[in-house]
Amino acid sequence: MKTMIPLRILAISSSLLFLSYGLAKQVWPMVFMETVLLPFNIWRLAEILVLRRRLQRARDTGRDDFSALKSTAPALRLAPGQELFAKGDPPDKVYLIASGEVALPELGLRLGPGDIVGEMAFFTEAARRSSGAVCATPCIVHGVNEDGFLKLYFQDPGFGLAVMRTVTRRIAANAAAVSA
C-alpha cells in the first residue's frame, strides 16, 4: 500500500471478515481480538480523513495563518527599539507579531501583524539567529518556546504548512538577495 487510507480500509474489511468467521465458528479469542481491532482501525481512519480535510482547507486558503500561537503564548507589549533577539543568539522563542512592526536590520526587512519571526533558527544545524529583531514601532507579540512551537508544528497541519511556506519563501528571498 502506498498510503495509510487503503491499508486502514483493508484492516477494517479483514476485521469484519474474521469477526464473522469467529462468530460462526465460535472462536472466542478471535472474536475478542477483532472486536478490539475493529473500532481502533475505524477511529484511526477517521483521524486520517479529518487531518487530510484540515490540511486541504489550509492549502486552499492560500494564506499563512499563525493564529494558533496566540492561544499558546501570552501577549508581550514592547516599546520601539526593544530587541527581541540579537544575531548569533541561540533560539529560545518564535514570535507572532500581533501589532506593530519588527525590523530585521541585517536583512533590511520589516515584518508586520500576522507575521512570525525567529522560526528559521529552529531549522538550522547551527541553532543560532541569522539576524537580530528589533521593534520598529510599539509592538504586541506572542512568543512561544521551541517545545510549544514544535508541538504546534506537528499537531496542527495548517500551522505546519504555513511555517513551511514562510521558511521556503524566506530562504528563496535570502538566496535571491545573495545572488543579486
Side-chain angles (χ1 to χ4, degrees):
M1 301 284 167
K2 291 186 179 183
T3 64
M4 287 301 295
I5 293 174
L7 186 62
R8 288 290 173 193
I9 291 170
L10 183 64
I12 291 167
S13 301
S14 69
S15 283
L16 288 171
L17 291 173
F18 279 118
L19 188 59
S20 300
Y21 176 80
L23 286 170
K25 296 293 183 176
Q26 297 182 350
V27 182
W28 303 121
M30 182 184 291
V31 170
F32 174 75
M33 181 177 71
E34 297 305 330
T35 304
V36 170
L37 289 176
L38 183 61
F40 174 75
N41 280 312
I42 291 170
W43 174 64
R44 290 296 293 149
L45 178 62
E47 273 188 332
I48 292 168
L49 294 174
V50 166
L51 200 60
R52 281 184 64 176
R53 260 181 279 165
R54 287 176 58 198
L55 188 56
Q56 187 62 43
R57 254 193 325 266
R59 189 181 306 141
D60 291 344
T61 63
R63 63 178 176 77
D64 297 334
D65 181 18
F66 301 109
S67 60
L69 280 174
K70 285 184 180 180
S71 63
T72 61
L76 303 168
R77 294 184 184 280
L78 304 171
Q82 195 166 351
E83 186 177 77
L84 289 173
F85 50 82
K87 181 177 181 175
D89 283 354
D92 58 343
K93 290 186 179 181
V94 172
Y95 298 93
L96 169 67
I97 304 167
S99 68
E101 286 188 345
V102 173
L104 304 173
E106 291 84 2
L107 302 175
L109 294 175
R110 287 181 96 133
L111 302 174
D115 290 328
I116 58 171
V117 62
E119 79 291 342
M120 295 287 282
F122 288 136
F123 293 103
T124 63
E125 288 181 15
R128 295 284 174 207
R129 303 284 188 184
S130 59
S131 175
V134 179
C135 294
T137 64
C139 293
I140 298 175
V141 299
H142 298 268
V144 65
N145 65 17
E146 185 176 10
D147 289 339
F149 172 73
L150 291 175
K151 184 178 177 183
L152 278 173
Y153 179 80
F154 287 111
Q155 289 181 348
D156 184 342
F159 179 79
L161 183 62
V163 168
M164 290 311 297
R165 284 179 178 161
T166 299
V167 168
T168 304
R169 200 170 32 251
R170 289 181 181 168
I171 289 172
N174 289 347
V178 168
S179 66

